[in-house]
Amino acid sequence: MPERKRPRRTPQRILETSLALFNRFGEPHITTADIADEMNISPGNLYYHFRNKDDIIGALYDALEAELLPLLALPDRRAADVEDLWLLLHLLFERMREYRFFYRDLDEITSRNRRVATRFTDLMRRGENTVIELCRGLVATGEMRATEREIASLASNVMLVSTYWMSFQRIGARHGGDDAAAASLDRAAFQVLALVAPYLVGDGRALIEQLGENYL
């Protein structure tokens, strides 16, 4: 007989339900009572596992960070190329879309949750350092021409645009934008790579131009 799947434990169900509700309606608009009601459990049952909504957000951030950190590792035993940066951005946006409530309500969440704010700042710094090292690798192989100062500024801009892309996407959808197009991971990654393109030469520049043709 096929092995039966074990039922999901209540904490896992709480997190899955919270994530779905936060993504759909926005974290500020959802209460713990809403989460309990969606699950058909009592608020007391929810509070047994999580003291408050910030505890739920903290657990969801833990899960997001655990998925993002491995992506920030540099290629092993070879020089980085433009496709590495493209793949990194695409995978990052995949994870960000899965936890899009966090990026859409970033200021609200980090203003009241110091633990999450501190860890997210560290994550941003690590992401910026990864972009810097990738760019240095591209310079070393002749695919990029940029000074250290330009690379540092570029890395900051990459993180800025990546972090607030979800908010930009939501604004576009609210004001008649094409939500399906705005949600495209390829388009999001290309918009960030467009910051890098002016510094690229040779095959790397040609690749960015080819990708850009899909979004003109």
Side-chain angles (χ1 to χ4, degrees):
M1 293 180 62
E3 183 180 353
R4 292 184 179 180
K5 291 184 179 180
R6 293 183 179 180
R8 292 170 300 163
R9 295 183 176 181
T10 301
Q12 181 184 358
R13 292 178 55 227
I14 291 173
L15 293 178
E16 290 173 353
T17 303
S18 299
L19 179 59
L21 291 175
F22 291 164
N23 281 343
R24 182 177 180 185
F25 299 107
E27 179 274 332
H29 305 295
I30 296 298
T31 66
T32 51
D34 294 326
I35 298 167
D37 184 61
E38 181 74 12
M39 296 178 63
N40 288 321
I41 63 173
S42 69
N45 192 354
L46 185 148
Y47 291 135
Y48 177 79
H49 300 284
F50 298 96
R51 293 174 300 173
N52 50 45
K53 189 168 73 165
D54 273 351
D55 273 3
I56 295 175
I57 292 171
L60 288 173
Y61 179 77
D62 290 345
L64 169 62
E65 186 179 77
E67 292 192 31
L68 291 181
L69 283 176
L71 301 180
L72 301 180
L74 294 169
D76 189 25
R77 298 180 181 178
R78 65 174 179 82
D81 56 29
V82 174
E83 290 190 8
D84 289 315
L85 186 55
W86 168 258
L87 179 61
L88 167 64
L89 291 170
H90 192 90
L91 293 176
L92 284 175
F93 278 116
E94 276 189 344
R95 305 311 188 274
M96 289 167 64
R97 186 171 64 178
E98 185 179 351
Y99 294 86
R100 55 191 172 275
F101 84 91
F102 179 78
Y103 291 91
R104 289 174 171 177
D105 302 312
L106 180 62
D107 293 341
E108 170 76 18
I109 292 170
T110 55
S111 66
R112 70 167 191 266
N113 194 318
R114 182 174 298 179
R115 171 180 171 271
V116 168
T118 300
R119 290 179 61 183
F120 184 68
T121 299
D122 291 341
L123 181 68
M124 289 280 289
R125 187 176 297 113
R126 183 162 179 175
E128 192 169 326
N129 289 336
T130 297
V131 175
I132 288 173
E133 292 304 319
L134 283 171
C135 288
R136 285 173 176 168
L138 293 172
V139 169
T141 58
E143 291 188 80
M144 172 181 278
R145 293 174 184 166
T147 65
E148 279 293 309
R149 179 177 295 180
E150 288 171 333
I151 288 174
S153 178
L154 180 59
S156 295
N157 288 334
V158 165
M159 295 309 298
L160 176 64
V161 174
S162 298
T163 299
Y164 288 98
W165 176 263
M166 295 295 171
S167 294
F168 175 79
Q169 169 190 312
R170 180 170 60 177
I171 292 171
R174 283 177 174 175
H175 293 277
D178 184 350
D179 195 27
S184 167
L185 301 178
D186 286 345
R187 181 186 174 193
F190 170 74
Q191 289 298 136
V192 176
L193 278 180
L195 299 171
V196 183
Y199 300 95
L200 297 176
V201 294
D203 292 341
R205 181 64 178 266
L207 174 61
I208 300 302
E209 292 177 352
Q210 179 182 350
L211 293 171
E213 291 178 0
N214 297 324
Y215 307 106
L216 294 177

